[in-house]
Each structure stands twice: as structure tokens, then as C-alpha cells.
Amino acid sequence: MTVSQPVTIPWWGAELLGSRPDHDIWARTCRDVTWAELRSQVTRRIDIFAAHGIGPGSSVALRLPPSLTGIWSLLALWSLGAQVQLLDHRLKPAEVQRVLDLCRPRYYAHTTDETATQFQDECEVYVEWRRDGTPARTDHCLVQFSSGSTGRPKVIGRSAASLRSELDAFSRIPGMPRRGERVLLLSSTVHSLGLIGGVLHAMSVGATLVFTSHLQPPSLAATLAEEDIDAVFGVPFHYDLLGRVPDPPAAPRLRLAVSGGERLREDVHRRFEERYGLRIGQAYGMTETGIVATDLTGEFAPPVVGRVAPGVHTRVRRGELWVRLDRSPYLQDEGTERYVDGWLNSKDLAHYCEADGTLRIAGRSDSLVAIGGLKVDLMEIEQELALHPCVREVVVVHAEGGIEAHVGAPEGLTVSDLMAFARERLSNFKIPRRIHVVPALPRTANGKLLRSAELLRAAHGTATSRPSAAGSAGGSP
């Protein structure tokens, strides 16, 4: 009987972990965490994981809440030569089981505390050996999962070489955090921007990471001032929170506020600048590719996302953005049709401006639908409805009954008021045939808005809704 050799999974973690003096501050929570403690904690977890049999070529599903423990555990597993399948801690048990069945990791490292939502220093870690699990079958050190807006997440692999290339791109982008600066990291460390542009970049240049468990608007604004923050990395939700503070304390060192993950609303962009005297910058990328383009200083307003990052190759073909990759990022069948001859179709509608070298993202190519023989961009409808002052978030989908709008309005909004607003701004054939209004829209485990009509209806079946009377172009509701 022939025993197959484990897959070799390269990692350069020793370079990151050994790059700074012991007494330097690696991170701050409610206390200082030195580089000496970082190395000590990673070494401790290397010993624990190795005692469980984890080593080169092992496949490990890692699901921990936002914590220092989560970062230490990830670095330890990589140092052991393991492939880490990074799961969001917000996944429900049934969702976790589907991922485990799909990817079949040999080990599952997790916590039993299902209530943790905010960042914490440490948490318990339990390691399960899975009888039906298999060793890593590819040399990817990191396995992530797409937003899964249709309910079927794509399984995406990142190699050590691709992570290293992305770090190199970040290091060459003007304005990125540098040695000695403090970075308030609000982006999830499970996702690419938070992990690579946040944690790994800060480690590589010697910036100090700052984490907070206080997400109430006044506390969050106070953190900027009290912790002498130089840069913030977050998603639009965080900047919405910060913009709600009418008179925030001065944060004289704050020079950079970067948003990623999803489209930044114009009102959030404007309000933050009014409150803090700083424009929100953007980082545009994909789980499959990592960073693609940036406008860190907010020089351009959305939908311009900035200039293509150094070392990243893109092209616009038939209005869609394609990104050059050495190999397909997909480890399962889902999504493979998007990778053709070394290029990945982002499915984002894009325009490249030769004059200033900027990239504009106008929406999704798969958001175009036919209504009564006319083409309608669902993203256009979303953008118009989002202009209503009571609307915090909106998703527009095309279902069997026509166009549906699902609206999050925490301060209260009637369907009649929103319908009147829509009639003022949209042609009759673009007005949703049915509107659902709820305090907050459901999101995927990765924190992005659900975009499946079936899943949206199931999530808020009791929401206020009614058909519109906008004409017959879209068919009967």
C-alpha cells in the first residue's frame, strides 16, 4: 500500500514574526501587546496544535470570534505548514456543517462561545479531529469563502506567493500605514482587507494595530482621539457609525480612513468628511484576487475606486473588469466558468479613464434584467432608493413577480412614502413591483447583504410590503 506524501504548503511567517524588537508594541486592545508576547503566544499555540497531530499538509478549519487568539492561532497554523480554511464566527451550525462537508478538513478548531460578537483579547480553542477529513489537496495556505449572496459560497484558495504579492502591492501604494503609526482595524480579520491589508501589512512595516470592542458611535469616535489613531480600516457600516456623532472629539493624528467590502454611500462619505475633516478613501478588491485598486486619500468620489494597485494587471472587456491571475482561485466547481485563459471575470461593470488612470465601478454585469423588453440595472434602482434620508441600506432583486426592493430603514419608513419617492426619480418600468421595509436587512456570514429573493423573503417574511401601482411593464406582482 502506497502512502501519499503530504502537500507542501509554503509560508514565510518567520519573516513577519521575527522582524521587530521584543519591546515594540505589536497591538493595543485595553492593554499593550508587545512583539515578544506575540511570538510567545504563537509558539505556545504551535506546541498545542502540534500535540493534536497538526503539521505540514494538514487541513484545518478555523472558526474563532474576532480576537487576538484568532490571529495567534492563524499564524501558528501557518507556521506548522497547515492549510487554513478560515470560517466566519457568525456562521450558524447548519452553515458550518455545510462548509465542513464541502471542504472536508482533517481538523476543526473553534470555540464553544457562540455569543461573542465584538473583539476580545482571548478565547478558548477546541480542536476536533475529523474521521472523514482529508489532508490538504492543494498548496494553498489560505482558503476563504465568497460572500455567498445566493446561499452557495465559492471556495477560494490563496497561495503564499499570492499573499506575498498582495503585501508587496500594499507596500508600494502611497499613503499606506507605516512604521510607528497606529491603525484602528475595524475590518474583519477573516476577510482579505482586514487580514492582509490590515494585520499582515502592519506586521510587515511595523505599524501598531489597535482593536476595540466598543462600537457605539460616541465610544468609537473617542477611540480615534484617545488612542492617537493615524489610520482607520473599516467597512461603510463603521463610517456610518462614526458619522452619527454630531461633534466628535478632535483626532489630530488621523490622516487616513479607508473603506472596503461594499459600495460606500454618498451620504456616509459626505457626513464623515463634515465631522472629521477627512475624506474616506477606498480599497477595491475581491476575495479571489485580493486588492485591485485603491484611492486611499479619497481624492475621487464613488463610483471611482481609484487607481489599479502596483503589480495588478486588469483589462476591461465588453464593459466588464477582468483581473490577471496565474491560476484559477476556485477549489470547487462553483465559479470556475469565470476564469478563462489566465483572466478572472469580476462581473463588475467598469470603465478605465486613460486621462487620469482611474477605475470606475458602475455596478454588476449580472444586475441587468429585462423588464417589458427594456434593460434595467438593479444597481441603478438601489442607488436611487438609497438617496431617501430614512433608507440605511437597500437590495433590489428580480424575482418571478418582477422587481422587488428590500429596504432597511431603522428610523421608520412607510411603503407609501418610499413609493412616492421612487416615482419622482425612476421611470415607471423601473419602479419595484413590491417593497419590503424592515429595520435592518439580513447579511451573509461574511457581512455582506443577501441578494437572493428567496433568502430575503425567508429572512423577513413578516416585513411590511405591498405591490406598487407603477404600470404594467414589469408584469403582475
Side-chain angles (χ1 to χ4, degrees), residues 63 87 91-105 108 128 130 132:
R63 177 175 172 256
L87 277 65
L91 290 173
K92 301 297 183 183
E95 295 172 310
V96 171
Q97 191 58 53
R98 284 197 292 271
V99 172
L100 296 179
D101 291 342
L102 182 65
C103 296
R104 298 179 63 195
Y108 176 34
E128 297 179 12
R130 305 182 70 251
D132 63 344

Side-chain angles (χ1 to χ4, degrees), residues 25-32 175 177-178 180-186 207-214 219-234 239 242 249-258 272 276 278:
I25 304 302
W26 168 67
R28 268 195 56 77
T29 54
C30 55
R31 63 184 181 89
D32 288 341
R178 49 188 178 262
E181 290 195 313
R182 292 190 168 199
V183 182
L184 177 59
L185 187 59
L186 302 174
T208 296
L209 294 164
V210 178
F211 299 99
T212 181
S213 59
H214 304 294
S219 298
L220 195 56
T223 299
L224 296 178
E226 295 169 2
E227 294 291 341
D228 292 325
I229 299 300
D230 298 279
V232 183
F233 279 66
Y239 295 106
L242 286 165
R253 286 183 50 171
L254 185 63
R255 67 169 185 85
L256 199 67
V258 181
F272 183 88
Y276 299 91
L278 183 70

Side-chain angles (χ1 to χ4, degrees), residues 257-302:
V258 181
S259 177
E262 59 184 300
R263 184 177 61 87
L264 182 68
R265 297 206 323 263
E266 291 181 11
D267 62 312
V268 173
H269 191 278
R270 182 183 65 255
R271 190 163 56 245
F272 183 88
E273 183 178 9
E274 292 171 353
R275 301 286 194 268
Y276 299 91
L278 183 70
R279 291 174 64 84
I280 300 173
Q282 297 183 80
Y284 164 74
M286 302 169 59
T287 305
E288 292 91 332
T289 65
I291 194 66
V292 174
T294 60
D295 171 26
L296 298 187
T297 60
E299 178 183 356
F300 308 101

Side-chain angles (χ1 to χ4, degrees), residues 70 75 98 124 265 376 385 396 411 428:
L75 294 173
R98 284 197 292 271
E124 290 186 297
R265 297 206 323 263
V376 176
L385 295 181
V396 176
E411 298 174 4
N428 279 351

Side-chain angles (χ1 to χ4, degrees), residues 2-62:
T2 302
V3 179
S4 61
Q5 295 298 312
V7 172
T8 299
I9 301 175
W11 176 241
W12 78 103
E15 299 175 25
L16 291 176
L17 288 168
S19 60
R20 303 298 164 190
D22 282 352
H23 62 270
D24 278 9
I25 304 302
W26 168 67
R28 268 195 56 77
T29 54
C30 55
R31 63 184 181 89
D32 288 341
V33 182
T34 64
W35 276 80
E37 181 178 353
L38 166 66
R39 286 188 277 265
S40 173
Q41 292 286 359
V42 171
T43 299
R44 176 170 170 259
R45 280 155 181 79
I46 287 175
D47 293 340
I48 292 172
F49 289 134
H52 283 276
I54 296 174
S58 294
S59 58
V60 185
L62 181 65

